[in-house]
Amino acid sequence: MAPPYTYPISGVFFFVAKPQLWSKVVCPFFLTLVAGILSLVLSFMYLLPLQAHALINVNCPAWIAWTVSVIFVLLESALFDILFFAIVVPFFQDALFDATLKARGMERMFQTRIDVGGMVLCCRGVSSGLVLGIFLILAQIFVWIITAPLHLIPVVGTIIACYINGWPACWGQHIHYDLEFRGFSVSESRRFAWHNRNAYCQFGGVAVALELIPLFNLLFMWTNVVGAALWVADKYEKNEAEIAKQGSSLSVPPPSGDTSVASIYPSQRSTNSFVPSINSSEHARLLQNANSVPRDSYGSSAV
């Protein structure tokens, strides 16, 4: 399995090689463009004269009133576009994440995902899509302000700043998977992300660095989602392989009658040791327990 910091780069190449993913990126930009045009037209039709006449009524010179109103209308339209884009983008990022998993050949992850109730999923979707999205944006802005002086140190300072900012960025890329696939709550997702903060900072540090590149950051903000999905898929497959290996090592057919523990765990057997016997049903129970997966893993039983 590749190191976490390589997946943002892998996401770029995977995205370019899979044209079926492009539509997930084009749609939000198209919707934002349409919404921007509508907001601009409606603002000039209704808000501009309303604001200009309000300024004129308070004895403001007409030319100043109209000039200021035009500036205000442009700012209001831009603010609306930013809010619209911020609300719409997370939904398309989730769709891109799911499409990447399917393009990666991981359809089985959708079949083994934890069943979350519709109302619970709706509430979690609101918290992750809006409330948590706003919280993450504010947290990232705060961390950026705190780490801004580090950029005064050439190269090294920027690397450290990106690494520190990587944790909230990476958590934001995984919140959809944690809530809707693994059945985590927001607090459980946060604790898991903090427990794995080193790997999250590695992935997020490279992702943040890519998004610092002017113009190209509009592309990298989407390829980072692809990279996060590829990372999750690899962890899932790695855990599946470990479960299969563990199961194959413990699934030796028992002979008829009683079976000793040493037949399941040969390393515990010695010539002088006493090994109690177990029946076939107890043998099956041990195998079932051995195949169970912890909640914080990425195997099929945890998704």
Side-chain angles (χ1 to χ4, degrees):
M1 181 174 162
Y5 56 80
T6 63
Y7 284 97
I9 305 299
S10 300
V12 176
F13 292 100
F14 191 88
F15 178 81
V16 173
K18 301 292 182 179
Q20 65 265 36
L21 302 179
W22 299 353
S23 62
K24 308 298 182 182
V25 176
V26 174
C27 286
F29 283 107
F30 177 75
L31 290 175
T32 304
L33 178 62
V34 172
I37 294 175
L38 288 175
S39 67
L40 196 62
V41 171
L42 294 176
S43 295
F44 272 95
M45 288 179 60
Y46 298 103
L47 293 181
L48 178 60
L50 183 64
Q51 293 175 161
H53 291 152
L55 292 175
I56 293 174
N57 290 336
V58 294
N59 300 323
C60 181
W63 67 274
I64 294 179
W66 285 100
T67 302
V68 171
S69 297
V70 169
I71 296 175
F72 281 174
V73 163
L74 293 176
L75 291 175
E76 291 160 358
S77 178
L79 179 61
F80 175 82
D81 293 344
I82 293 173
L83 292 175
F84 181 84
F85 189 75
I87 294 173
V88 169
V89 162
F91 296 100
F92 283 94
Q93 287 179 329
D94 293 349
L96 178 62
F97 188 98
D98 294 348
T100 301
L101 291 178
K102 293 178 180 179
R104 174 69 169 68
M106 303 298 293
E107 288 87 355
R108 61 187 181 277
M109 292 180 65
F110 296 86
Q111 300 171 356
T112 57
R113 64 196 296 178
I114 291 180
D115 187 19
V116 181
M119 183 60 66
V120 174
L121 186 60
C122 178
C123 294
R124 290 180 179 179
V126 171
S127 63
S128 63
L130 296 179
V131 179
L132 184 60
I134 295 174
F135 170 78
L136 285 173
I137 292 174
L138 294 177
Q140 287 178 303
I141 292 175
F142 175 77
V143 176
W144 269 116
I145 294 174
I146 297 298
T147 58
L150 291 174
H151 292 280
L152 298 176
I153 306 174
V155 183
V156 176
T158 301
I159 293 175
I160 296 174
C162 289
Y163 183 84
I164 295 174
N165 284 275
W167 182 82
C170 184
W171 180 34
Q173 303 288 2
H174 283 74
I175 192 68
H176 164 65
Y177 174 72
D178 287 345
L179 268 60
E180 300 190 23
F181 281 76
R182 307 174 73 187
F184 282 6
S185 65
V186 174
S187 60
E188 288 173 335
S189 175
R190 177 184 53 79
R191 287 195 296 268
F192 180 83
W194 182 251
H195 180 72
N196 297 274
R197 56 188 176 275
N198 183 42
Y200 274 51
C201 286
Q202 291 182 41
F203 175 93
V206 177
V208 170
L210 291 175
E211 293 185 11
L212 289 177
I213 303 175
L215 297 181
F216 290 97
N217 54 2
L218 295 175
L219 172 64
F220 292 144
M221 64 180 292
W222 297 98
T223 60
N224 286 336
V225 177
V226 176
L230 295 178
W231 187 21
V232 165
D234 283 356
K235 287 187 287 187
Y236 188 96
E237 286 186 332
K238 179 183 177 181
N239 200 59
E240 278 187 327
E242 292 176 352
I243 294 173
K245 182 179 178 180
Q246 184 184 31
S248 62
S249 64
L250 299 177
S251 59
V252 179
S256 58
D258 290 348
T259 303
S260 69
V261 175
S263 66
I264 304 178
Y265 303 103
S267 61
Q268 299 182 7
R269 190 175 190 176
S270 66
T271 56
N272 299 323
S273 62
F274 171 76
V275 180
S277 62
I278 57 174
N279 55 33
S280 299
S281 61
E282 181 67 9
H283 180 273
R285 185 187 67 81
L286 288 174
L287 290 180
Q288 182 177 4
N289 291 341
N291 289 331
S292 63
V293 184
R295 179 176 174 81
D296 61 350
S297 62
Y298 279 81
S300 58
S301 298
V303 182

